[in-house]
Amino acid sequence: MNRLTATGQYGGRLALAALLLIALAACAPMAPVPTETLPPPPAPAPAPKDDTSDDSIRSDAEPVSKPTNPAVMSLVNQGWTYYRQNNYEAALGAAGRAQRIDPRSPEVYLLMASARFSLYQLAVAEQLARKGLALAQSGSAVNRQLQALLAKIAASQ
Amino acid sequence: MRRLALWLAFWAVIGGAVAVIVLDSIVRAKFEGAKWALPAHVYGRALDLYAGQSLSPSRLRWELDQLGYRPVASVSSPGQYRVSGSQVELYTRPFEFWDGYESAKQLSISFSGNSIQSLKGQQEALDVVRLEPMMIGGIYPDHQEDRVLVTLTELPPYLVDGLLAVEDQQFYRHFGISFTGIARALLSNIVAGSTVQGGSTVTQQLVKNFYLSKERSLVRKGIEAVMAVMLEVHYSKEAILETYLNEVFLGQSGKRAIHGFGLASRHYFRQPIGELEVHKAALLIGMVKGASFYDPWRNPERAKNRRNLVLDVMAQEGVISEEEAGFAKAKPLEVAAKPGTSTNPYPAYLQLVREQLNRDYREEDLKSAGLRIFTHFDPQVQHQVENSITAVVDNLEKGYRIPGGALETAAVMVRIGTADVLALAGSRKPGYAGYNRAVDARRQVGSTIKPAVYLTALERSRQYTLATLVDDEPVSVKSSNGTVWRPQNYEKQSNGVVPLFRALGNSLNQATARLGMQLGLPNVTETIRRLGYEGAMDEYPSMLLGSMQMSPMDVASLYHTIAAEGFYTQLRTISAIYTADNQPLKRYPFQTEQRFSPQVMHLLQYGLQVVMREGTGKGAYRRLPENLTVAGKTGTTNDQRDSWFAGFSDEYVGVVWLGRDDNGKMPLTGASGSLQVWADIMAGLGTRSMAFQKPQGVTYHWVETATGLLSSEGCAGARYLPFIDGSEPTQKSSCYRTTGGDVMDWIKGRLGL
């Protein structure tokens, strides 16, 4: 069967765990050990062969703010310049161009939602902000800005 | 007698005056209004270039060649490029975009493998530069005249001066008609032994083409002369010359007539008029005399002789030096390999554009107002789709001994997130302008609908998870009209009790039918509607296995919602429409609507990855790199009449249908047919793995798949599955330990992290 490699993050986690375990071994009571470093316990139940310890398809990774592409940032900044000039159509145009380069950038949706909000298109703005939130890392600045915008939209409705 | 003569003279004067007034009003009315019925021109997307972009040097070159950029040894003006190793020097063309004029830029692009590493201007680093979009079609007036208007200032001076040297040397000195011009033309023609110059002034030629019929008579010649004088009285030389340059007939392309130097330059050389070198300008000037007779594709020798004659006249009249003329005469014609403007190279996509336009605009405006229509069409993706279809479908016919040409196909490619329709194939024949199967063919969708059933289940997270055991035993459903429906698995076997993700992965009909009946047909149809299907749906039990008919576009819409984490966006073709003078008429900015939670979509996307890694879609990896993560679903209808595949990567949703127009049987399933085309397209595009990031509110747990109980890493039969928080199993298998996945928490606790 196909086995996908575990995500890099998970591999890193195991390595970190192994290192910590070595450090803890001397001073701690017998620490729990990741199963992969031990022989597997006797199988308690028969299982279909192809499901054995399958960890192939997975994503532990939460949305992380990967460094935004400079092209996207440049277009988003250009869009905010239009926005500040109350030229919301042009702001939406710049955001659209940035979105085509990276449709998963929450900054793009913050700009789109803000422009639509300024055009009093509240329902559209709300959905765009939700889209941004779905892509934004929790606790990030853009996440907070999107939350704040949603609150403003809710207050205007 | 004298009185009669006076009387006649009086009426002649009156009659003449009336005729002059009438002709004058005709001259003014047409010259001052919209001079021509201008076709609407449709453009593809503009290619953005930026560091980090996944674009191979060969794809960039392909795009540049399509746009008529010329490879040169040294880049010095717009429309030129030079490739050296992994470096491309490029001088972009200026273009009037929606957000303003983008000036020509000279830049240097460094590639690292198949992506752009850096982008530098002459001094500065550049964030993003765009190329002008490709023209992909037009909507033409009934008389089929096509033209791209140009202003005098856009033209190279030697083109204008050369034209006047050949056609009307007295242009700036006469008042519409020129007697010396006629005499001079006569003389030159005698000297040359053939007609190199005409006697009519440019103004007369304009009157003839612009106002009058093709009839040749003395009266018409007289009217022509009077109107020429009228034109000169009312309008400047520049206005007359500019109108002439845009009016003149310069060729025929099928039904479409090529008018004006602006379009002719694009048609014959794929270049904007401002870029034309002397030898190319001379060819167009020569063609004024007879565009068909001097057609450089059909009659290259004749065209070249005519061009060289024009170059001689240009040198004689001091427009260019003798040396320049000699240099230009030594050059080949250098016309494009095939016409740079074609009426309709991508008819399937254009049909989609027209359908949307016809909803918003009057046919008359589309055909005459000179609208500029910008679309999301991506010629590179289209090129890949056409290549994959041709290669794979031919091979399938050979491999499965299907009579050649029996199979038909349709494909749709959509960018995930923006919902832009990037490419569309309505037939296996590229450029086929007939039946558009991507839009108009509604066929049973088979198992491609199953994700909707599983989505309906997963939304009820208290009842159903990916680990829920579902029953794959035979099932029979009695419908209201008394017929009994007994679906069977493709392999004609039952699998007992299987976890939900496995039932989806292996596309088990019995399990899906049972699950769907438990959920209720109205709930499943509601899910299909929320995913984006707007057509009619009958609530028959067989719809759970895809008995409803949809077009590939419909299916693409559903899968886009799945790929875009539950956000529905209507598929988009047009991005903006501009008037002939570049005023925005309508923009179609992005909007979206959350129809499903990102959490439930994460679970469904997991299930659709199982399809690709372990289930019916794994044949894709014969063509795809092993480390590429994609998701999708096969579909095969009864007796293998339709082969479907719908799936996605990071950037693209792709839907492919294969079948016969007569709805006949085929030896192909979704996996052996459409999936192969889909995988070939995705491999050719060099797509990235889907993002598949875990949203908040989803946690992975080890579960014993045979029992659905909580398990631990390393336990036999355990699998790491995503659960919507609170829906994970609470009962533990005997192998479950508080160790394993919890080790980090334990360590973190110890260290106070």
Side-chain angles (χ1 to χ4, degrees):
Chain A
M1 68 159 287
N2 286 303
R3 279 184 67 90
L4 271 159
T5 47
T7 60
Q9 188 179 351
Y10 192 75
R13 212 171 85 169
L14 281 178
L16 177 64
L19 272 174
L20 286 168
L21 281 169
I22 294 162
L24 283 167
C27 56
M30 197 52 198
V33 172
T35 52
E36 288 188 10
T37 63
L38 290 174
K49 200 174 158 222
D50 68 343
D51 279 342
T52 306
S53 286
D54 190 300
D55 62 347
S56 57
I57 302 159
R58 61 199 283 168
S59 175
D60 291 294
E62 292 194 12
V64 280
S65 339
K66 52 176 179 172
T68 308
N69 183 306
V72 172
M73 226 44 247
S74 157
L75 290 166
V76 167
N77 288 339
Q78 188 187 328
W80 283 114
T81 306
Y82 288 130
Y83 178 89
R84 283 187 290 274
Q85 295 160 355
N86 301 331
N87 188 353
Y88 304 118
E89 293 290 345
L92 286 171
R97 207 175 146 202
Q99 187 198 20
R100 282 192 282 283
I101 295 175
D102 184 6
R104 304 187 63 83
S105 161
E107 281 83 4
V108 167
Y109 298 99
L110 176 64
L111 172 58
M112 284 184 175
S114 304
R116 295 289 198 146
F117 179 64
S118 299
L119 290 164
Y120 301 103
Q121 295 164 352
L122 300 184
V124 179
E126 181 189 337
Q127 293 295 329
L128 288 165
R130 289 194 185 288
K131 174 84 188 176
L133 269 179
L135 299 166
Q137 190 185 17
S138 55
S140 63
V142 64
N143 189 307
R144 283 195 297 278
Q145 286 166 297
L146 284 160
Q147 298 277 14
L149 180 61
L150 268 180
K152 252 166 54 178
I153 295 168
S156 311
Q157 273 169 337
Chain B
M1 196 60 195
R2 203 170 144 231
R3 267 183 73 174
L4 182 67
L6 273 171
W7 187 246
L8 283 175
F10 172 74
W11 282 111
V13 169
I14 295 289
V18 169
V20 166
I21 290 166
V22 170
L23 289 177
D24 187 65
S25 72
I26 292 172
V27 163
R28 289 167 62 167
K30 193 161 177 189
F31 207 85
E32 280 166 22
K35 291 191 182 82
W36 298 281
L38 290 176
H41 285 138
V42 181
Y43 295 86
R45 60 92 183 93
L47 180 65
D48 276 308
L49 302 171
Y50 53 91
Q53 184 184 15
S54 146
L55 178 77
S56 67
S58 63
R59 280 191 187 274
L60 175 62
R61 278 184 75 165
W62 184 85
E63 180 103 11
L64 292 173
D65 290 341
Q66 294 294 308
L67 289 169
Y69 280 63
R70 283 146 299 132
V72 291
S74 166
V75 174
S76 60
S77 62
Q80 299 180 336
Y81 72 94
R82 187 174 91 94
V83 182
S84 59
S86 61
Q87 197 90 2
V88 176
E89 302 286 325
L90 173 65
Y91 209 137
T92 64
R93 291 182 180 136
F95 192 81
E96 186 75 49
F97 281 99
W98 59 270
D99 52 352
Y101 180 80
E102 184 124 344
S103 60
K105 286 190 182 72
Q106 193 170 355
L107 58 133
S108 152
I109 305 164
S110 300
F111 285 89
S112 163
N114 285 337
S115 61
I116 294 181
Q117 192 176 37
S118 70
L119 210 62
K120 283 195 193 76
Q122 281 184 297
Q123 279 103 38
E124 75 291 10
L126 293 166
D127 287 327
V128 57
V129 172
R130 58 188 152 171
L131 297 178
E132 75 271 25
M134 207 177 283
M135 204 199 286
I136 60 162
I139 298 164
Y140 300 98
D142 293 332
H143 52 59
Q144 298 280 330
E145 275 186 20
D146 193 7
R147 51 169 58 77
V148 173
L149 295 189
V150 289
T151 57
L152 268 185
T153 49
E154 286 174 62
L155 304 172
Y158 45 77
L159 196 156
V160 180
D161 295 344
L163 177 86
L164 293 179
V166 173
E167 293 294 329
D168 189 356
Q169 293 181 2
Q170 301 295 314
F171 180 71
Y172 284 103
R173 290 187 287 277
H174 64 62
F175 51 93
I177 40 182
S178 163
F179 300 108
T180 49
I182 293 168
R184 186 191 285 256
L186 214 67
L187 193 68
S188 319
N189 295 347
I190 291 165
V191 171
S194 65
T195 322
V196 290
Q197 288 182 31
S200 294
T201 64
V202 155
T203 320
Q204 280 172 291
Q205 290 183 43
L206 175 61
V207 167
K208 189 172 73 183
N209 297 332
F210 197 51
Y211 294 98
L212 303 175
S213 67
K214 293 219 161 46
E215 167 217 7
R216 286 182 175 213
S217 72
L218 216 58
V219 175
R220 210 212 64 161
K221 205 71 190 151
I223 292 174
E224 179 189 296
V226 173
M227 288 175 85
V229 175
M230 294 293 162
L231 259 183
E232 295 274 350
V233 168
H234 289 298
Y235 305 104
S236 70
K237 288 283 183 188
E238 286 72 24
I240 292 168
L241 186 55
E242 193 171 285
T243 308
Y244 176 87
L245 289 161
N246 285 315
E247 167 58 38
V248 66
F249 171 75
L250 284 167
Q252 192 72 33
S253 173
K255 275 198 263 174
R256 190 172 54 118
I258 309 295
H259 280 264
F261 280 82
L263 182 66
S265 172
R266 293 186 179 276
H267 188 69
Y268 294 104
F269 302 109
R270 291 180 173 244
Q271 284 176 263
I273 188 86
E275 281 178 20
L276 284 198
E277 303 96 316
V278 172
H279 64 293
K280 295 177 181 171
L283 176 67
L284 295 186
I285 293 167
M287 289 175 70
V288 170
K289 188 163 170 251
S292 303
F293 192 73
Y294 296 112
D295 183 324
W297 285 304
R298 274 188 298 161
N299 308 312
E301 266 314 299
R302 196 188 285 165
K304 197 170 174 187
N305 290 339
R306 173 72 186 159
R307 180 198 76 176
N308 290 352
L309 203 62
V310 168
L311 286 165
D312 284 337
V313 174
M314 286 168 79
Q316 270 166 35
E317 299 301 320
V319 176
I320 52 174
S321 68
E322 288 289 345
E323 195 191 349
E324 281 173 306
F327 185 68
K329 279 164 73 174
K331 289 205 163 192
L333 284 173
E334 289 191 336
V335 283
K338 54 178 185 170
T341 68
S342 156
T343 321
N344 200 354
Y346 307 110
Y349 198 92
L350 207 67
Q351 184 201 336
L352 205 58
V353 171
R354 286 210 64 160
E355 277 179 15
Q356 188 176 344
L357 289 172
N358 287 341
R359 285 198 291 271
D360 297 348
Y361 297 93
R362 292 186 313 159
E363 183 77 8
E364 202 184 309
D365 292 339
L366 292 175
K367 285 181 171 179
S368 65
L371 299 180
R372 300 203 309 156
I373 297 154
F374 294 94
T375 71
H376 297 296
F377 178 81
D378 187 324
Q380 301 215 16
V381 178
Q382 179 75 25
H383 187 59
Q384 183 60 55
V385 167
E386 290 177 358
N387 286 349
S388 293
I389 284 177
T390 304
V392 180
V393 177
D394 282 356
N395 263 336
L396 287 173
E397 282 181 343
K398 282 186 202 125
Y400 287 86
R401 302 210 174 142
I402 303 167
L407 290 182
E408 259 305 343
T409 190
V412 183
M413 297 296 290
V414 177
R415 192 201 330 268
I416 298 169
T418 63
D420 301 339
V421 180
L422 301 175
L424 196 72
S427 158
R428 66 187 285 179
K429 293 184 275 297
Y432 177 67
Y435 188 42
N436 187 350
R437 292 161 192 83
V439 179
D440 298 324
R442 308 179 73 78
R443 305 285 293 233
Q444 290 198 347
V445 291
S447 301
T448 43
I449 206 65
K450 280 182 187 159
V453 178
Y454 289 84
L455 180 57
T456 312
L458 291 170
E459 276 203 297
R460 302 179 184 184
S461 62
R462 287 184 186 178
Q463 270 176 284
Y464 298 97
T465 68
L466 288 170
T468 302
L469 296 173
V470 293
D471 190 351
D472 187 51
E473 288 303 305
V475 56
S476 60
V477 181
K478 201 169 176 184
S479 68
S480 51
N481 63 10
T483 55
V484 179
W485 180 58
R486 286 194 189 85
Q488 285 187 309
N489 286 336
Y490 182 76
E491 291 85 2
K492 312 283 185 222
Q493 285 175 346
S494 304
N495 298 280
V497 172
V498 292
L500 190 137
F501 73 86
R502 183 73 55 212
L504 174 60
N506 290 350
S507 200
L508 302 179
N509 288 339
Q510 292 171 183
T512 309
R514 280 177 177 273
L515 180 64
M517 293 312 292
Q518 281 170 24
L519 295 164
L521 296 179
N523 293 318
V524 176
T525 52
E526 178 59 18
T527 300
I528 296 170
R529 228 168 257 307
R530 284 162 66 207
L531 282 170
Y533 182 63
E534 288 168 357
M537 270 184 288
D538 291 322
E539 288 176 2
Y540 297 130
S542 60
M543 64 150 283
L544 296 168
L545 303 181
S547 66
M548 78 275 280
Q549 300 180 340
M550 292 187 186
S551 70
M553 278 289 285
D554 292 332
V555 176
S557 181
L558 307 186
Y559 274 77
H560 180 264
T561 307
I562 297 172
E565 288 97 15
F567 283 81
Y568 164 78
T569 301
Q570 193 173 25
L571 299 188
R572 308 189 312 153
T573 49
I574 302 176
S575 63
I577 302 177
Y578 283 75
T579 59
D581 52 356
N582 211 40
Q583 296 304 307
L585 198 60
K586 192 165 173 64
R587 291 176 179 147
Y588 297 86
F590 177 79
Q591 51 180 307
T592 190
E593 186 187 334
Q594 184 167 20
R595 299 263 177 100
F596 299 89
S597 74
Q599 290 78 20
V600 75
M601 278 306 176
H602 185 82
L603 269 49
L604 184 62
Q605 288 189 1
Y606 181 98
L608 294 174
Q609 287 180 56
V610 175
V611 173
M612 303 308 289
R613 287 295 186 188
E614 303 157 44
T616 53
K618 61 184 174 189
Y621 286 96
R622 286 207 290 273
R623 294 170 195 270
L624 296 175
E626 182 63 28
N627 60 0
L628 186 77
T629 302
V630 289
K633 187 72 196 75
T634 51
T636 313
T637 59
N638 286 347
D639 302 325
Q640 302 182 185
R641 292 174 197 276
D642 303 274
S643 160
W644 285 91
F645 189 79
F648 49 95
S649 62
D650 182 49
E651 309 103 306
Y652 309 108
V653 169
V655 175
V656 178
W657 168 86
L658 262 170
R660 296 170 59 131
D661 281 345
D662 62 5
N663 204 22
K665 295 179 191 175
M666 300 180 297
L668 295 173
T669 60
S672 61
S674 290
L675 173 65
Q676 300 304 317
V677 179
W678 181 90
D680 200 74
I681 295 169
M682 288 291 188
L685 289 171
T687 188
R688 294 186 300 263
S689 285
M690 50 191 283
F692 197 54
Q693 288 172 331
K694 182 175 79 72
Q696 284 185 318
V698 168
T699 310
Y700 277 67
H701 297 275
W702 287 96
V703 174
E704 192 173 85
T705 54
T707 59
L709 302 179
L710 217 51
S711 184
S712 292
E713 188 170 11
C715 289
R719 186 176 176 118
Y720 204 48
L721 286 173
F723 289 87
I724 293 174
D725 286 353
S727 73
E728 66 274 16
T730 47
Q731 281 189 294
K732 293 159 183 140
S733 77
S734 54
C735 182
Y736 177 83
R737 297 180 301 272
T738 50
T739 57
D742 293 338
V743 66
M744 280 306 291
D745 295 337
W746 184 89
I747 294 166
K748 280 181 186 169
R750 285 284 162 137
L751 296 177
L753 292 173

